[in-house]
Amino acid sequence: MAQSDPKLTAAEKAKVAWYVARMAKRGIADDRERGGVVYQGDLEARVDRIIEGARKREEATTKQK
């Protein structure tokens, strides 16, 4: 079962945008001599944590109603 994307708060949107911009910056800075190998797993994990936290927050608010 696929989980739907949760609604993000303004702060969560800003954090995700910041991490996506950092991923883009790393991609641009890559010199491509190593075959385009840029490690971005740390930033992807941070974005995943933000989305997972938003999902948990949304579940908690729906249980209260």
Side-chain angles (χ1 to χ4, degrees):
M1 181 171 121
Q3 295 179 349
S4 64
D5 291 334
K7 289 195 173 195
L8 300 176
T9 63
E12 290 167 340
K13 287 179 185 179
K15 287 178 186 178
V16 169
W18 175 257
Y19 291 133
V20 170
R22 287 185 60 191
M23 285 184 225
K25 184 177 176 182
R26 284 185 187 179
I28 291 170
D30 183 28
D31 58 4
R32 304 284 184 212
E33 289 180 8
R34 296 176 288 161
V37 180
V38 177
Y39 181 71
Q40 296 185 0
D42 58 331
L43 298 175
E44 291 171 355
R46 290 178 186 197
V47 170
D48 290 340
R49 265 182 275 165
I50 291 169
I51 293 172
E52 187 61 32
R55 192 170 285 130
K56 287 180 182 179
R57 177 184 40 79
E58 209 171 61
E59 287 176 8
T61 56
T62 56
K63 286 182 182 179
Q64 289 178 354
K65 291 181 180 181

